[in-house]
């Protein structure tokens, strides 16, 4: 029995987390339609569910996480015509871009990325079965799901069958009712198509998720995730397809993350922004997004910010809330994170050990801190409990990050109070306490995918190695200037370095430097 509780969109309440099969968790997250390079909005779901998977694994679950790639779709067809590139080639290019971004963000926890076009046979079979059971009908080469046959339709979005399904022009007259949605679309001349019992065509968007989740995770799996904008119609339709076919719940818990919005414009820049849910809302949103840097290719964002800073930024808001995008805010987060990086260097000065090499507990029960001992250890244990409480409460990563800050401040205070940078003050029990506290910081950070390796700007490689040598040289020149009592020169060096973002700090053991992003 875990202490984890999750907010389920289906019941509109927090429920205890109990997987369908003891000890195992299956997660399905709706992935991108690969027709354009990813922007930061495409990283929101993956970062959140990466943390959720890590936390569940830390709690002893064996987790399988599936993210689908929509590589056939109206948008892909349109974009491939615009650019004069074949659809499969466009999809390959944009999938590679998405994968590079996930890798840069340290999201290496996804087990499978099924592609819609690799599952056409299964999609046709699934659709045929729905027709055979009377839940779907063929109409002029299209196949539609008959919403009137599903008494549960609307149970996720808590709405009644009303509006358009966003299929767009020309299909209305082929449907029995405007609420029906396409499982299969007949091909127009020049469009990519696969043979089917209903003639050449391609799958609708919703059906791929029903098919691939069932194939990889089973009829009923544990967590289905996605952006809030997917609740209706996409997830509602997935439920209709799957549950009408097999008569069992599709997923036990439906988790929806808030979308990213431009903080000034209130325009969305994340999630499936381009999925029309109704009318021309899409066009309005794209107009707003295009004015925001948040819509620029994520590779540009990565050139400017540390991946870890972006991860920190995305996790510092509770996943169900909207994220206000602003570069200013990301910069602030980056500056705040220097607290951790400075502490890691301090830890190295005190103990001689590398924070990133510290062994830590990968399992919750193994990391438990025995009562008694040094007062610091007791405080660390309290912080750890608080962190776990936050994460148990519907994965409150924002609260958990707040606890990490409290913990690092506590460790710094201990090092100050006990003067641990002075070798003569380093009593074994104090050293054991600070090591224990730092290991706990590493253990908890790891559940959010944080502090896995030093940030890029601190890792010596290529140009960075040269910069590092030059900075060290300037620090030496400054030390020489001070020795010669040329304080004006020493000050000039310090200030000039600060102007280009290199911050010097004079310490008992010498001058330390950090680069501020
Ligand atoms: Zn989906």
């Amino acid at each position: 029995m875990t202490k984890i509780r999750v907010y389920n969109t289906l019941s509109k309440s927090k429920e205890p987390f109990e997987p369908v099969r003891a000890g195992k968790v299956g997660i399905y997250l709706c992935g991108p339609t690969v027709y354009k390079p990813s922007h930061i909005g495409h990283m929101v779901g993956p970062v959140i569910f990466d943390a959720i998977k890590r936390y569940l694994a830390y709690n002893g679950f064996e987790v399988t996480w599936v993210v689908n790639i929509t590589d056939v779709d109206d948008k892909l067809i349109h974009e491939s015509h615009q650019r004069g590139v074949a659809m499969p080639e466009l999809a390959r290019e944009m999938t590679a871009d998405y994968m590079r971004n996930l890798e840069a963000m340290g999201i290496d926890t996804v087990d499978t990325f099924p592609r819609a076009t690799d599952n056409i046979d299964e999609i046709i079979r699934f659709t045929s079965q729905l027709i055979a059971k009377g839940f779907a009908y063929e109409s002029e080469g299209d196949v539609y799901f008959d919403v009137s046959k599903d008494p549960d339709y609307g149970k996720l979005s808590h709405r009644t069958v009303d509006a358009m399904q966003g299929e767009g022009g020309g299909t209305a007259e082929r449907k029995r009712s405007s609420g029906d949605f396409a499982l299969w679309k007949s091909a127009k001349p020049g469009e990519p198509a696969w043979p089917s019992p209903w003639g050449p065509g391609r799958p609708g968007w919703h059906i791929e998720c029903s098919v691939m989740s069932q194939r990889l995770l089973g009829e009923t799996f544990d967590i289905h995730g996605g952006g809030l904008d997917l609740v209706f119609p996409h997830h509602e339709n997935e439920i209709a397809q799957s549950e009408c076919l097999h008569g069992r719940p599709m997923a036990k818990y439906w988790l929806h993350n808030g979308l990213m919005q431009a903080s000034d414009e209130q325009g969305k820049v994340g999630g499936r922004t381009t999925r029309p849910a109704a009318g021309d809302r899409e066009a309005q949103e794209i107009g707003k997004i295009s004015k925001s840097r948040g819509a620029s290719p994520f590779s540009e964002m990565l050139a400017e910010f540390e991946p870890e800073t972006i991860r920190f930024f995305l996790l510092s808001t509770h996943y169900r809330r909207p994220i206000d995008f602003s570069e200013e805010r990301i910069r602030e987060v980056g500056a705040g994170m220097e607290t951790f990086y400075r502490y890691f260097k301090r830890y190295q000065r005190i103990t001689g050990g590398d924070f990133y090499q510290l062994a830590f507990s990968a399992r919750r029960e193994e990391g438990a801190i025995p009562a008694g001992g040094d007062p610091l250890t007791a405080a660390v244990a309290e912080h750890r409990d608080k962190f776990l409480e936050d994460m148990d409460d519907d994965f409150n990563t924002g609260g958990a990050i707040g606890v990490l800050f409290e913990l690092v401040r506590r460790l710094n205070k201990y090092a100050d109070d006990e003067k641990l940078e002075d070798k003569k003050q380093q009593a074994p029990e104090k050293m054991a306490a600070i090591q224990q506290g730092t290991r706990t910081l590493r253990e908890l950070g790891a559940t959010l995918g944080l502090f896995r390796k030093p940030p890029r700007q601190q890792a010596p490689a290529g140009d960075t190695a040269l910069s590092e040598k030059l900075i060290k040289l300037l620090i030496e020149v400054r030390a020489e200037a001070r020795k010669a009592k040329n304080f004006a020169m020493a000050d000039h060096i310090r200030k000039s370095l600060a102007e280009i973002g290199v911050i010097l700090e004079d310490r008992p053991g010498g001058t330390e430097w950090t680069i501020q992003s």
Side-chain angles (χ1 to χ4, degrees), residues 193-254:
W194 288 261
S196 83
W198 319 288
R202 63 178 185 278
W205 172 37
H206 316 299
I207 191 76
E208 67 177 87
C209 291
S210 283
V211 170
M212 299 191 291
S213 64
Q214 179 179 332
R215 184 165 75 75
L216 294 161
L217 298 170
E219 288 180 347
T220 301
F221 54 93
D222 302 288
I223 296 178
H224 194 314
L228 258 179
D229 55 341
L230 297 190
V231 174
F232 187 87
H234 184 53
H235 289 167
E236 195 69 67
N237 293 352
E238 283 187 30
I239 290 179
Q241 296 160 159
S242 295
E243 301 193 357
C244 286
L245 187 76
H246 56 59
R248 279 176 281 278
M250 179 186 190
K252 193 167 175 189
Y253 306 99
W254 289 81

Side-chain angles (χ1 to χ4, degrees), residues 297-483:
F298 190 64
S299 51
E300 287 177 19
M301 202 71 71
L302 280 173
E304 202 158 326
F305 300 104
E306 281 290 339
E308 186 156 67
T309 304
I310 299 171
R311 178 182 280 260
F312 222 88
F313 164 70
L314 295 178
L315 292 176
S316 56
T317 306
H318 189 282
Y319 80 86
R320 285 198 281 125
R321 299 194 49 79
I323 301 173
D324 287 328
F325 172 83
S326 95
E327 288 183 42
E328 191 49 40
R329 179 76 193 110
I330 301 179
R331 255 185 283 279
E332 276 169 30
V333 167
M337 289 174 68
E338 289 299 328
T339 309
F340 293 100
Y341 303 139
R342 273 199 295 270
Y343 175 73
F344 300 160
K345 288 186 175 174
R346 187 178 200 187
Y347 174 79
Q348 180 140 28
R349 285 198 302 277
I350 293 171
T351 65
D354 181 350
F355 173 84
Y356 294 98
Q357 301 295 326
L358 264 180
F360 63 97
S361 311
R363 285 293 165 89
R364 180 175 183 149
E365 65 279 3
E366 290 163 11
I369 297 168
D374 193 276
L376 174 68
T377 306
V380 169
E382 263 172 49
H383 284 106
R384 185 176 179 276
D385 288 346
K386 177 73 181 53
F387 179 99
L388 299 178
E389 243 169 65
D390 280 331
M391 286 299 285
D392 287 345
D393 182 13
D394 194 26
F395 310 112
N396 180 2
T397 55
I401 280 179
V403 176
L404 293 183
F405 273 109
E406 285 168 26
L407 178 55
V408 76
R409 276 196 289 271
R410 189 70 187 78
L411 292 168
N412 264 320
K413 184 168 186 307
Y414 189 79
D416 289 342
D417 292 350
E418 304 296 332
K419 302 185 175 60
L420 288 184
E421 297 210 33
D422 180 350
K423 296 275 177 231
K424 291 192 287 291
Q425 306 290 328
Q426 294 184 348
E429 65 278 8
K430 289 178 191 168
M431 294 298 279
I434 197 134
Q435 265 157 350
Q436 161 78 73
T438 310
R439 260 201 311 278
T440 300
L441 177 62
R442 182 154 161 74
E443 170 193 333
L444 300 179
T447 70
L448 300 175
L450 293 168
F451 313 140
R452 295 170 71 207
K453 56 180 186 192
R456 257 183 333 213
Q457 284 160 344
Q458 291 175 13
D463 285 355
T464 324
L466 178 63
S467 311
E468 200 164 284
K469 282 181 197 156
L470 289 170
I471 292 168
K472 280 182 181 158
L473 181 66
L474 281 167
I475 291 172
E476 271 173 43
V477 173
R478 174 169 167 263
E480 289 301 317
R482 287 167 104 188
K483 248 189 238 164

Side-chain angles (χ1 to χ4, degrees), residues 22-36:
K24 291 192 168 30
V25 178
I27 303 177
Y28 187 93
L29 175 72
C30 293
T33 301
V34 283
Y35 73 106
K36 277 195 168 158

